[in-house]
Amino acid sequence: MFTFPILAVRKVIARGIEDAAANGGFRNPYYGTRPGEGELPGLWLVGDEGVYIMSNGRLVDGQKPLVVFAEQCHPKGDIDWWDYKRRHFGADDGIEFIDAKRLTPLFDRNVGATHLNVQLTEAEIALSLISR
């Protein structure tokens, strides 16, 4: 399971929308192997050096996306990040697109929630909210 503050998730989505408006749309998270898929407001859940969410709007040369690491899996703060990533995301690097249409209504209905939990299985991405 990976945990992200809801405020940070909202900022990542907003940044993707801003970048898309300024730079001509959304990036394809699947590097063109699935044209048009995932080119919507949302975010990317990325497993690489740690696990993080990333804004998905198109960028100009030199511009960087907004990145927020999972509380459990930051390579600069968690000594066990590699084991945690491998156990809960898999050993290979990967990207999963999460549509803003799944997240924003969930946040809006649960105004007391502070964090988003993301759990991956072989077949799905399960989302839940917690309050701290």
Side-chain angles (χ1 to χ4, degrees):
M1 182 177 328
F2 303 102
T3 306
F4 303 92
I6 290 173
L7 182 58
V9 176
R10 286 184 183 274
K11 287 180 180 180
V12 168
I13 293 168
R15 171 68 184 278
I17 292 169
E18 290 169 14
D19 290 341
N23 302 313
F26 294 94
R27 293 178 288 150
N28 185 301
Y30 308 108
Y31 299 99
T33 60
R34 300 184 223 169
E37 189 173 332
E39 295 177 27
L40 304 164
L43 55 84
W44 298 352
L45 177 69
V46 180
D48 184 20
E49 289 278 324
V51 173
Y52 51 89
I53 56 173
M54 182 169 78
S55 59
N56 69 330
R58 287 198 180 145
L59 304 169
V60 296
D61 287 340
Q63 187 180 13
K64 295 186 188 265
L66 180 57
V67 170
V68 175
F69 279 88
E71 291 181 350
Q72 302 85 351
C73 205
H74 193 303
K76 291 189 176 146
D78 302 309
I79 60 172
D80 296 325
W81 74 267
W82 171 247
D83 292 326
Y84 195 90
K85 178 207 177 270
R86 189 182 67 220
R87 189 168 58 248
H88 297 284
F89 192 96
D92 293 334
D93 294 348
I95 297 173
E96 295 293 336
F97 173 73
I98 302 176
D99 194 325
K101 288 182 185 177
R102 281 185 72 187
L103 295 170
T104 305
L106 183 65
F107 299 159
D108 292 345
R109 283 191 311 267
N110 297 282
V111 294
T114 59
H115 289 74
L116 171 69
N117 283 325
V118 180
Q119 187 169 8
L120 303 174
T121 68
E122 294 280 331
E124 69 179 8
I125 299 172
L127 306 173
S128 61
L129 302 179
I130 60 171
S131 297
R132 289 192 181 155

